[in-house]
Amino acid sequence: MTAPGSTAGNSAASRDKAFVLHPYTNLHAHETQGPMIIERGEGIHVFDDGGKDYIEGMASLWCVSLGWGEERLVQAATKQMRQLSTYHIFGHKSHEPGIDLAEKLIGLAPVPMSKVFFANSGSEANDTAIKLIWYYNNALGRPEKKKILSRQRAYHGVTVATASLTGLPNNHRDFDLPIARIIHGDCPHHYRNGLEGESEEAFATRLAEQLEALILAEGPDTIAAMFAEPIMGAGGVVVPPATYFAKIQAVLKKYDILLVADEVICGFGRTGNFWGSQTVGMQPDILTCAKQLSSGYLPISAVMVSDAIYRACVEESRKIGTFGHGYTYSAHPVAAAVALETLNIYEERDIVGHVRSVAPAFQSRLKALADHPLVGEARGIGLIGALELVADKATKTPFDPPGRAGALVNGLAQDNGLIVRAMGDSIALCPPLVISEAEIHQTFDRLTKALDAAVPVLRG
Ligand SMILES: Cc1ncc(COP(=O)(O)O)c(C=O)c1O
């Protein structure tokens, strides 16, 4: 029998167009353009179905820290598959991979944390954090204290609530979002949002003052928490001013507002410390992580909560009779076993030490591209960075229409065997953490070729 809609031929590309609804894709363009099919991976490289090799400069979606083909993770998954291929942890049930992983994460937390809740994605982890914050304030008898602060250009996920936290227009537009009680404050991007002649320090002070003004306007008793990525990722890789989080946190403390560190990208060594919170000086009440938790090999995420939040949840669940939240696959044993092995490898191979040893080469090649005629700003830290392409370097004037230059460089990089990610006209790089110094140079050599090839097209 022919499946509905299958007028297509038998090639994978035509079957893709016939059957797959792609995330984050121009679906109209896809109907003609079709997919790029990736067949296999090895180290920091992936190979398409024509055998062409690419440096995966984005570690897939900011996650494949250990690169492709890490046999120990394959073994950890296989072993666990054989022993207990799946089980849940609802209603007092448990299993060792989940217990071991929770214990391990609590031991690694950047500030004292009490308990770990497991989910399957960054979005689910952040969605869970919102629910815990609401539960917590109900437990404390503060039913009005429920609004959540986020920031313009933040990325916290795509569920109804977390897409609302995300501060990017395409995640809201025509999805009827954001939902109520979510407020977006300022993005700490000095290059774009700093005033003429304003130092980074003065910019951070102004943002903290603006945050306080926003809180006062909304009513401090109505604001429960603020979510923040240590370094903003999908919003264009924004590294905040050095004193930004110290100043922001002083304001939050003053009004008894919780801080959630979204470590979905920054966690596990990306910024040169084990947690992004350590790099930027965040002391979160809740920490969410995913992606590099399992080197992206299996879907798993975690929410770590402070003892105060955990105690409030205990009290609510005693009153109600249960803690009415959980996913079928919370702490899935195979995903948990792979995550645990990932964390063991990080320790044994001193992944943070490795990031620190190669980050200077990465950052110096990145920052050197600030001199390129198309680049307005080169920004980054550790093994994450972005180049913002501009039409005029002196005036910082963006290209018109927005996104065309980014898409062009993205395509040219791909032609040159490098996968990057264009976020508007910012080109992001976030390679596997195991990248060597020689591979960093290859990455930037390919990127430079792509940028050079874009000059005549964009400058005519
Ligand atoms: C900082 C941050 N938070 C949350 C998410 C959402 O994670 P997921 O795509 O696994 O739902 C992402 C995804 O890129 C992210 O970068």
CSV table of all heavy atoms in Angstrom, one decimal, residues 374 399 404 408 453-460:
chain,number,residue,atom,x,y,z
A,374,LEU,N,33.9,42.1,6.8
A,374,LEU,CA,32.5,41.8,7.0
A,374,LEU,C,32.1,41.7,8.5
A,374,LEU,O,31.0,41.7,8.8
A,374,LEU,CB,32.1,40.5,6.3
A,374,LEU,CG,32.2,40.4,4.8
A,374,LEU,CD1,31.7,39.0,4.4
A,374,LEU,CD2,31.4,41.5,4.1
A,399,PHE,N,23.3,44.3,7.9
A,399,PHE,CA,23.0,44.1,6.5
A,399,PHE,C,21.5,44.1,6.3
A,399,PHE,O,20.7,43.9,7.2
A,399,PHE,CB,23.5,42.7,6.0
A,399,PHE,CG,25.0,42.7,5.7
A,399,PHE,CD1,25.9,42.1,6.5
A,399,PHE,CD2,25.4,43.3,4.5
A,399,PHE,CE1,27.2,42.1,6.2
A,399,PHE,CE2,26.8,43.3,4.2
A,399,PHE,CZ,27.7,42.7,5.0
A,404,ARG,N,20.5,37.7,5.4
A,404,ARG,CA,21.0,37.3,4.1
A,404,ARG,C,22.5,37.0,4.2
A,404,ARG,O,23.0,36.0,3.7
A,404,ARG,CB,20.7,38.3,3.1
A,404,ARG,CG,21.1,37.8,1.7
A,404,ARG,CD,20.6,38.8,0.6
A,404,ARG,NE,21.5,39.9,0.4
A,404,ARG,CZ,22.5,40.0,-0.5
A,404,ARG,NH1,22.6,39.0,-1.4
A,404,ARG,NH2,23.3,41.0,-0.7
A,408,LEU,N,24.4,33.4,3.7
A,408,LEU,CA,25.4,33.3,2.6
A,408,LEU,C,26.7,32.7,3.2
A,408,LEU,O,27.2,31.7,2.7
A,408,LEU,CB,25.7,34.7,2.0
A,408,LEU,CG,26.8,34.7,1.0
A,408,LEU,CD1,26.3,34.0,-0.3
A,408,LEU,CD2,27.2,36.1,0.7
A,453,ALA,N,35.0,34.6,0.5
A,453,ALA,CA,34.2,34.4,-0.7
A,453,ALA,C,32.9,35.2,-0.6
A,453,ALA,O,32.3,35.5,-1.7
A,453,ALA,CB,33.9,32.9,-0.8
A,454,ALA,N,32.5,35.6,0.6
A,454,ALA,CA,31.3,36.3,0.7
A,454,ALA,C,31.5,37.8,0.4
A,454,ALA,O,30.5,38.5,0.1
A,454,ALA,CB,30.7,36.2,2.1
A,455,VAL,N,32.7,38.3,0.5
A,455,VAL,CA,32.9,39.7,0.3
A,455,VAL,C,32.4,40.3,-1.0
A,455,VAL,O,31.6,41.2,-1.0
A,455,VAL,CB,34.4,40.1,0.6
A,455,VAL,CG1,34.7,41.6,0.3
A,455,VAL,CG2,34.8,39.8,2.0
A,456,PRO,N,32.9,39.6,-2.1
A,456,PRO,CA,32.4,40.2,-3.4
A,456,PRO,C,30.9,40.1,-3.6
A,456,PRO,O,30.3,41.0,-4.2
A,456,PRO,CB,33.1,39.3,-4.5
A,456,PRO,CG,33.7,38.2,-3.8
A,456,PRO,CD,33.8,38.5,-2.3
A,457,VAL,N,30.3,39.1,-3.0
A,457,VAL,CA,28.8,39.0,-3.1
A,457,VAL,C,28.1,40.1,-2.3
A,457,VAL,O,27.2,40.7,-2.8
A,457,VAL,CB,28.3,37.6,-2.6
A,457,VAL,CG1,26.8,37.4,-2.9
A,457,VAL,CG2,29.1,36.5,-3.2
A,458,LEU,N,28.6,40.3,-1.1
A,458,LEU,CA,27.9,41.3,-0.3
A,458,LEU,C,28.3,42.8,-0.5
A,458,LEU,O,27.6,43.7,-0.3
A,458,LEU,CB,28.2,41.0,1.2
A,458,LEU,CG,27.6,39.6,1.7
A,458,LEU,CD1,28.1,39.3,3.0
A,458,LEU,CD2,26.0,39.7,1.7
A,459,ARG,N,29.6,42.9,-1.0
A,459,ARG,CA,30.0,44.3,-1.2
A,459,ARG,C,30.0,44.7,-2.7
A,459,ARG,O,30.2,45.8,-3.0
A,459,ARG,CB,31.5,44.4,-0.7
A,459,ARG,CG,31.6,44.4,0.8
A,459,ARG,CD,31.2,45.7,1.4
A,459,ARG,NE,30.7,45.6,2.8
A,459,ARG,CZ,31.3,45.4,3.9
A,459,ARG,NH1,32.6,45.2,3.9
A,459,ARG,NH2,30.7,45.3,5.0
A,460,GLY,N,29.6,43.7,-3.5
A,460,GLY,CA,29.4,43.9,-5.0
A,460,GLY,C,30.6,44.5,-5.6
A,460,GLY,O,30.6,45.3,-6.4
